[in-house]
Amino acid sequence: MDLITIIGLAAGTLTTIAFLPQMFQTWKTKSAKDVSFVMLITFMTGLFLWFIYGIILGALPIIIANGVTLFFNFIILLLKIKYR
Amino acid sequence: MDLITIIGLAAGTLTTIAFLPQMFQTWKTKSAKDVSFVMLITFMTGLFLWFIYGIILGALPIIIANGVTLFFNFIILLLKIKYR
């Protein structure tokens, strides 16, 4: 694998798993008032469009990275709605 | 412009501007305890690698989208450090 591909994979992995600590913190503290609701909705809409973009292009890395990030943010949204 | 390009541009715009409402909410409420510090650091590291990836590829949309998102998250990080 060449350096550029390794950098791209590392980038995609980090911007995806970044939302795991947010998910666990919100779940653990049962508090999400400082997390912006508008941010979550706007970010998820954008991620969904990236997901569609990946499907049209047939680009599996775009589909997986954005699909998983969308799933994590959906959980954060549910926790946000539950705990405010 | 074809549909796929429009979807990609809309996706990139949304996942970038999504962090503006978070920035303004944190600045206004002066509270960021529910925003995960580990999330910010991990996400910013990933965005920086996407930025480098864009520079190596010479892909301006990747450079701009991730550069601006990185800048917004850097401001959120500063507010997080200031207000906890």
Side-chain angles (χ1 to χ4, degrees), chain A residues 11-50:
Chain A
T13 303
L14 287 173
T15 51
T16 298
I17 62 166
F19 298 95
L20 277 174
Q22 180 64 63
M23 214 171 84
F24 285 116
Q25 179 176 320
T26 309
W27 176 71
K28 212 171 147 189
T29 60
K30 301 189 192 316
S31 171
K33 71 165 174 47
D34 297 336
V35 178
S36 163
F37 184 78
V38 182
M39 182 264 280
L40 287 174
I41 297 297
T42 313
F43 193 52
M44 287 177 66
T45 308
L47 290 170
F48 179 72
L49 288 182
W50 276 129

Side-chain angles (χ1 to χ4, degrees), chain A residues 3-5 7-12 14-19 21-22 25-26 29 31-40 42-43 45-47 49-50 52-53 56-57 66 80 84, chain B residues 3-5 7-12 14-19 21-22 25-26 29 31-40 42-43 45-47 49-50 52-53 56-57 66 80 84:
Chain A
L3 184 64
I4 174 84
T5 305
I7 292 174
L9 286 175
L14 287 173
T15 51
T16 298
I17 62 166
F19 298 95
Q22 180 64 63
Q25 179 176 320
T26 309
T29 60
S31 171
K33 71 165 174 47
D34 297 336
V35 178
S36 163
F37 184 78
V38 182
M39 182 264 280
L40 287 174
T42 313
F43 193 52
T45 308
L47 290 170
L49 288 182
W50 276 129
I52 299 297
Y53 182 83
I56 297 174
L57 283 186
N66 289 285
K80 163 82 182 166
R84 302 298 165 108
Chain B
L3 183 65
I4 175 83
T5 306
I7 292 174
L9 286 175
L14 287 173
T15 51
T16 298
I17 62 167
F19 297 95
Q22 180 65 62
Q25 179 176 321
T26 308
T29 61
S31 172
K33 72 166 173 48
D34 297 336
V35 178
S36 163
F37 184 77
V38 183
M39 182 266 279
L40 287 174
T42 313
F43 193 52
T45 309
L47 290 171
L49 288 182
W50 276 129
I52 299 297
Y53 182 83
I56 297 174
L57 282 186
N66 289 286
K80 165 82 183 166
R84 301 296 162 111

